[in-house]
Every structure is written in structure tokens, then in C-alpha cells.
Amino acid sequence: METELKQLFEAAKKAADAAAVEGGNAESLPEEDRCIDALKALKKFPVNYQVLVSTQVGKRLRQLTKHPRKKIQSLASELVEIWKNIIVEETLKNKKNGSLDTKESLKSEHGTDTSDKKVQRVNSIKIEKHGHGATSSSSDKKINVVKVEKREDLKVERVTKEENNRTNKPTANNVAPPKLTSLVYCKDPVRDKIRELLSEALCKVSGEVEDELRGEVDASDPYRVAVSVESAMFEKWGRSNGAQKFKYRSIMFNIKDPKNPDFRRKVLLGHVKPERILELTPEEMASTDRQMENVKIKEKALFDCERGAAPKATTDQFKCGRCGKRQCTYYQLQTRSADEPMTTFVTCVNCDNHWKFC
């Protein structure tokens, strides 16, 4: 069942990608028709909560809701809503069944408790009657009473353990600290200002993340994280207006940078600990796009400098096959035996295209 569902989705995804590449103003495309047929088959396919979770097809289907072809976009959105309703209905049913099971178990345990109490009463009556007719009644009475009391203690312990396991009540050691509703100040104007700026930046994360991370972000505590980050910086570097003020500015800039939401989210969710933030370089704190730009700048700088290379001459005798312009530099080296001609290495000044010939 899962294999068939994956195959249908892959067929729909492949046709959708082909239709997006074709594009144009055509009213209908064969790739679009194939994609729509596959989506209709997915709509009729019997799915349940377990299949959707194991295959993760629902998450991948969301990409088609932003397809440039309107028919594919509307049908994909409709299918996503249908699968969402299936998941919600099954989770509600599971919760109701779980509550009914707990009620039945409580009733059965209550019945067993009453039956045990009745047995205890009967045993006590028999012991008292037996005590009037025999000389060794006192010793027998003590032994039987002790047995009944031990049995009752074991029963109470078993019931309390089952109730704790069923309700999953946390112990005192596992209780998480309460979420702060406001910022905690330290009565130092400079430090309090840093805490305010950090908390303002971290509170913006809830409006920047996608729906998949919404629950994790809402459960986080931006005020507590801001206080911990500022405290870690103060313990290691001292006051922000001292010799380490440039390190303060670097961390504050990267956390508040509107073009760097990834680093801000990692700090809030605890993926980067406060102690680890102090050891990061500005390049490591930069956004992914900025890091890629830095790599390109370094590669271009290395390409431009090329220390130790043979001297180059500029000429218009060579035509670039990529951009078609005659702005090239070249140099020659004897890469083969002495009786062979020299190898000419040509570089286009306009588009950095490289080629060689003999």
C-alpha cells in the first residue's frame, strides 16, 4: 500500500515538474493532464494516519500547492486538506478510545478493591470466631491479620503505580522551569539594554518560521534565552563598554540581522548554546546566503591573484565560445616533449571561461 502511494506521487511530481518546465501560455499540456490524472488517483487512494506518517507524502505534496499551473495548484490544495482531515479524525478517535480504556480500567480496579475489602472482612470474622474455641487462637489471629494487611498494602502500591504511569505525572526532578512572561532585569542599565535588544530579536522568530516548527518555537522561552546569552557574555568578557565591545557588537548584529533568521532561530531553540555562541566567528554566525557569497568572493580573489603563474598577455585573437567576445588573456607552457609545440592556455576576461589548445 505504501509502495503504490509513493509510485503515484512520484508520477504526479514528475509530470508537474515537466509541466512547470514547459510553462508558456498554453491552455493545456500533456504533462499537466498526466499530473492531474495522478492527483485524482491519489484523491481516490485509501490512506490512513500510519501510511501518511510513514511515507511523508503529505509534506512533499505541499510543494505542488505553489505550482505555476492553476489546475495542479488547486487540485493539490484540495488533496492536502482531505489528508489533513483524515489525520485529525483519526487522532481524535485515538484520544477517545484511550479515555474509554482508562475509565474501564478504573472501574475494574474499583471492583477488585471492594471485593478484597469484603474478603478481608470475612477473614477477620472467621478469625474472631475461631479465637473463642481454641487455646492457640491469639497466635493464629496475629498471623492472619498480618497477611491480610500485607496483601492490602501491596494492592494499594500497585494501584498507585498504575495511576502514575497512566497520567504520566512528572516528578519533582523532571519539572521544567516555568516560561517567563516578562524580561528579568539585573538593575544594571547597560546589561538590561542588551537583554531587551536580545529578547526583542528572539521574539520575532515566531513570525519567521514555517508551520512545521511553529509548536517548537511557541514552546520556547525567548526571555530566558536572552538572559542566559547576556549572562554568558558578561561572565566571559565583562561589561560591553570595555575592551570586548566589538565581540558584543558582532553577536548582537548577527542575532538582530533581519537577513539572518536561521541563526536567530538556532539560538532560540537551543541548537546553539550560549557558551558556544561566544566561540563562533562572524563567518560562522552569518546566514547561509552570506556564507555562499563569501566562498564565491574567496574563489574569485584566488583566481584573480594567481601568484607564481606565468605572465599573461592580452589579445583579441581568440574568441570566447561562451560569451562570443574577443577579450582574452593567454600564456604558453611546454607541457609535452621539446619537439612538440607549446600549449596555449586562454582565459576570457569577460566571463572567466578557460580553454587550451596546442
Side-chain angles (χ1 to χ4, degrees):
M1 186 174 180
E2 296 179 359
T3 306
E4 295 177 0
L5 182 62
K6 288 182 179 179
Q7 291 176 354
L8 280 175
F9 175 76
E10 293 297 336
K13 184 70 168 57
K14 186 176 181 181
D17 294 339
V21 171
E22 291 293 336
N25 297 322
E27 294 181 358
S28 63
L29 296 172
E31 293 83 1
E32 182 181 3
D33 295 336
R34 288 199 299 270
C35 180
I36 290 174
D37 294 338
L39 290 175
K40 288 181 180 179
L42 285 172
K43 189 175 180 181
K44 297 178 181 180
F45 193 86
V47 296
N48 53 28
Y49 177 82
Q50 295 179 353
V51 174
L52 291 175
V53 171
S54 60
T55 58
Q56 298 293 317
V57 174
K59 292 183 179 179
R60 299 176 60 190
L61 183 63
R62 291 181 180 177
Q63 300 175 0
L64 299 183
T65 58
K66 301 178 181 179
H67 199 273
R69 309 295 294 186
K70 296 297 182 181
K71 293 181 180 179
I72 296 176
Q73 182 178 352
S74 61
L75 190 56
S77 301
E78 184 179 354
L79 185 56
V80 168
E81 291 298 327
I82 292 173
W83 285 356
K84 280 184 179 179
N85 293 331
I86 291 174
I87 293 175
V88 171
E89 290 177 359
E90 292 194 7
T91 51
L92 291 176
K93 288 181 180 179
N94 293 332
K95 288 183 179 180
K96 290 182 180 179
N97 293 333
S99 61
L100 292 175
D101 293 339
T102 54
K103 289 180 180 179
E104 291 178 357
S105 60
L106 288 173
K107 288 181 180 179
S108 61
E109 290 176 358
H110 182 69
T112 53
D113 292 339
T114 54
S115 62
D116 291 338
K117 289 179 180 179
K118 291 180 180 179
V119 172
Q120 183 180 359
R121 290 177 182 176
V122 172
N123 289 334
S124 62
I125 293 170
K126 289 182 178 179
I127 291 169
E128 290 176 356
K129 290 182 178 180
H130 182 71
H132 289 289
T135 57
S136 62
S137 60
S138 59
S139 60
D140 294 337
K141 185 188 297 183
K142 291 181 181 179
I143 293 171
N144 291 331
V145 169
V146 170
K147 288 182 178 179
V148 172
E149 289 178 353
K150 286 184 178 180
R151 185 191 303 172
E152 186 67 22
D153 293 337
L154 292 174
K155 183 66 178 177
V156 171
E157 289 179 1
R158 184 173 63 84
V159 171
T160 53
K161 288 181 180 179
E162 290 179 356
E163 289 179 354
N164 291 332
N165 293 331
R166 185 162 49 251
T167 56
N168 293 324
K169 293 181 179 179
T171 58
N173 295 329
N174 296 329
V175 174
K179 187 175 180 179
L180 297 178
T181 57
S182 61
L183 189 63
V184 178
Y185 293 96
C186 61
K187 298 181 180 181
D188 187 338
V190 178
R191 295 183 62 186
D192 291 340
K193 184 62 177 178
I194 294 175
R195 292 186 180 186
E196 290 178 358
L197 295 175
L198 289 173
S199 62
E200 289 177 2
L202 295 175
C203 289
K204 296 179 181 178
V205 178
S206 60
E208 298 172 344
V209 297
E210 299 178 353
D211 295 337
E212 298 177 356
L213 299 174
R214 182 76 60 188
E216 188 176 0
V217 171
D218 292 340
S220 60
D221 192 346
Y223 297 114
R224 192 178 298 277
V225 175
V227 171
S228 61
V229 172
E230 189 277 331
S231 300
M233 291 192 294
F234 180 78
E235 290 177 1
K236 186 173 183 179
W237 297 330
R239 296 178 63 84
S240 60
N241 54 3
Q244 306 295 338
K245 61 181 179 181
F246 295 105
K247 294 183 179 180
Y248 270 90
R249 290 179 181 179
S250 177
I251 294 176
M252 297 289 293
F253 172 78
N254 285 281
I255 292 179
K256 296 191 300 178
D257 187 6
K259 297 181 180 179
N260 195 2
D262 295 336
F263 181 67
R264 187 160 48 248
R265 186 189 68 251
K266 291 178 182 178
V267 173
L268 177 63
L269 299 181
H271 299 167
V272 181
K273 299 298 182 183
E275 296 77 10
R276 173 60 180 160
I277 297 174
L278 309 183
E279 301 174 359
L280 295 178
T281 62
E283 291 79 8
E284 293 174 339
M285 289 187 288
S287 61
T288 305
D289 296 336
R290 184 60 183 173
Q291 290 178 2
M292 294 176 65
E293 291 179 1
N294 292 337
V295 171
K296 291 181 181 179
I297 292 172
K298 289 181 180 178
E299 291 178 352
K300 189 175 185 304
L302 290 173
F303 173 77
D304 292 338
C305 69
E306 289 185 0
R307 295 180 179 177
K312 299 179 182 179
T314 305
T315 182
D316 57 355
Q317 298 299 318
F318 306 105
K319 183 178 181 180
C320 178
R322 180 184 295 174
C323 65
K325 293 187 177 182
R326 292 181 175 273
Q327 299 175 358
C328 303
T329 60
Y330 73 95
Y331 63 93
Q332 293 179 329
L333 289 176
Q334 189 70 41
T335 58
R336 296 182 293 177
S337 58
D339 57 345
E340 295 290 337
M342 298 180 70
T343 303
T344 303
F345 297 88
V346 187
T347 302
C348 179
V349 178
N350 184 50
C351 64
D352 293 337
N353 185 23
H354 304 271
W355 71 92
K356 64 181 179 178
F357 63 91
C358 298

